[in-house]
């Protein structure tokens, strides 16, 4: 049960301490701007533990972006019939950077969520707060 609730909390962007409160305001893709809440509205956990804490999320976002670019390049190679001519260079550049631009809100949100849930030793799950 604990692993499924952690996976649910990561996918839904819930607080890593109580798994109830939202980490972000706004939707992933929409007209309202997504912002990181300062504290959890359910348990009061501060998300930015120290000033500049989310700079570490840039490294997670970079790794996610590299994986997405490699995957997009391979998919473009397969879907274009294995065309690697010099003339097809702009096809690869356009598709890879277009996909990277489209996935940037996803990378912004989930790099912070991964940092909070999996890479933060100061924040741990407390079942006491996981009550309605």
């Amino acid at each position: 049960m604990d692993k499924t609730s952690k996976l649910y909390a990561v996918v839904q962007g819930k607080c890593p301490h109580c798994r109830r409160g939202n980490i972000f305001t706004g939707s992933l893709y929409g007209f309202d701007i997504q912002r990181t809440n300062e504290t959890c509205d359910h348990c009061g956990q501060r998300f930015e533990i120290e000033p500049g804490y989310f700079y570490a999320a840039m490294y997670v976002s970079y790794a996610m972006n590299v994986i997405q670019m490699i995957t997009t390049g391979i998919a473009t190679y397969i879907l274009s019939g294995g065309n690697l001519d010099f003339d097809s260079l702009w096809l690869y550049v356009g598709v890879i950077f277009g996909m990277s631009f489209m996935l940037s809100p996803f990378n912004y949100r989930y790099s912070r969520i991964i940092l909070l849930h999996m890479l933060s030793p100061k924040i741990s799950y407390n079942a006491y707060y996981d009550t309605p």
Side-chain angles (χ1 to χ4, degrees):
M1 175 73 179
D2 188 43
K3 289 191 183 229
T4 58
S5 66
K6 181 170 184 164
L7 180 63
Y8 173 81
V10 169
V11 170
Q12 295 296 321
K14 300 295 182 183
C15 173
H17 190 62
C18 67
R19 297 182 183 166
R20 295 267 177 188
N22 293 323
I23 296 174
F24 287 93
T25 61
S27 62
L28 182 60
Y29 289 102
F31 292 111
D32 50 345
I33 297 174
Q34 59 178 333
R35 297 190 199 293
T36 307
N37 289 326
E38 290 183 24
T39 59
C40 176
D41 55 356
H42 185 74
C43 69
Q45 171 69 46
R46 280 188 47 119
F47 293 126
E48 189 169 7
I49 299 169
E50 54 196 31
Y53 178 72
F54 286 120
Y55 284 125
M58 289 189 308
Y59 298 109
V60 177
S61 177
Y62 176 76
M64 291 169 62
N65 203 7
V66 167
I67 291 168
Q68 291 164 357
M69 286 180 156
I70 291 171
T71 305
T72 303
I74 292 170
T76 304
Y77 175 78
I78 292 169
L79 294 174
S80 69
N83 191 4
L84 276 178
D85 297 335
F86 184 74
D87 297 334
S88 65
L89 173 72
W90 291 109
L91 170 70
Y92 285 93
V93 170
V95 170
I96 289 171
F97 284 113
M99 187 62 77
S100 178
F101 180 73
M102 286 179 11
L103 290 174
S104 61
F106 175 84
N107 289 344
Y108 170 78
R109 180 176 287 229
Y110 282 98
S111 65
R112 289 180 176 217
I113 291 172
I114 289 170
L115 178 70
L116 285 170
H117 276 273
M118 298 174 191
L119 302 174
S120 295
K122 295 181 180 179
I123 301 175
S124 62
Y125 172 65
N126 189 343
Y128 172 77
Y129 292 110
D130 192 7
T131 56

